[in-house]
Amino acid sequence: TAGWYSNNCACNDHCNLTTGECEMQYRQDSKALVDYGYSSLKIDGCGNEKNLTLWDKYLTQFSPKNPILVEHCDKNDPLLGQGCPTFHFYRTSVDIRNNYASIMHNLGTIEPYRATNSSYPGCWAYADMLQVGVRHGLNIQETRSHFAGWAIISSPLTLSHDVNDDEVMDRIWDIISNDEILAVNQAYFGESGGVYDQANQTVLLDSEGASAISLPEYQYLSKPIAKNRVAVLLMNSANETRTLTANFTNIPYADCSDDEQYSHCDFLVRDIWKHSTLGRFRDSWSVDVESHDAAFITLEKVGGGIENSRLNEKNKDLKRTRLGSRTQPTAVA
């Protein structure tokens, strides 16, 4: 898909609001967008074409059967987070820059909207386009963190690198084509994903030309992706390798303390970077994470003490039945 960038800051659309000139521009821009075969529209906040109702009117007129995907990019709109009547996702941040500090700052701007459940299917909060693969910026650890961070918060994944650069494509392909990460991004189980824990200690990071940014040394994010399944991202913003620990009782949708069926929880931990199931863990899971890198796992609830005790009793009953009779045993309810 390709997008049309309108009302932008490079060539401002300063049409006359009092003469009908602006509405003519809405109409002509919408017609041109459809005629040229574009399937999405980014509406920036720099010019005078900010009337989303008029955009919707003419996009619908010229493309009635194929709805145009619309990004509302005016982060200063006081109505952000109050629904998406004429657009599909909305910017929460300043323009992103190609460095780790900027990425982590923008990632944090999603949290207020996630906390109020204002990011959901058809109305996603968005921290700007991905810098994955953009040259002279992120190292491979930062690239992984960036893509994973956007994935776990359900952000639209808008790539902005040169897709004709074979060297770049080879370097990032395993990241951007990881089907398990894409599945986490696309899943929605009532919550868009966000921070559930972070360090009290902070680190000051250079944002390359902008003010330095203070970040927690680590942040833990989670997102429910199915019944009894949760994705977890452990991000290390410190300047050295750290051991990060996911305590299961702290993770939303992964706590069994209120579930009468279990006395405790065990989880199957799967590393979705490596497409590898790491085993069954109780209470917590720890891993060493390099500076600016992130561990990305899924947790699948597999039960615990009470359930296992009942299962053991069922197995004993079944074994006695088999030993005492050559006939097919009846199922244990």
Side-chain angles (χ1 to χ4, degrees), residues 15-28 49 54 58:
C15 52
N16 191 320
L17 292 169
T18 63
T19 64
E21 180 184 22
C22 281
E23 183 159 359
M24 178 189 69
Q25 288 189 190
Y26 287 112
R27 186 181 188 282
Q28 293 299 94
E49 294 184 11
L54 283 177
Y58 288 114

Side-chain angles (χ1 to χ4, degrees), residues 245-251 254 263-267 280-286 299:
T245 299
N247 291 304
F248 300 154
T249 55
N250 295 339
I251 300 171
S263 62
H264 59 263
C265 277
D266 289 356
F267 288 89
R280 181 169 177 157
F281 292 81
R282 181 172 300 173
D283 299 327
S284 66
W285 177 80
S286 298
L299 304 177

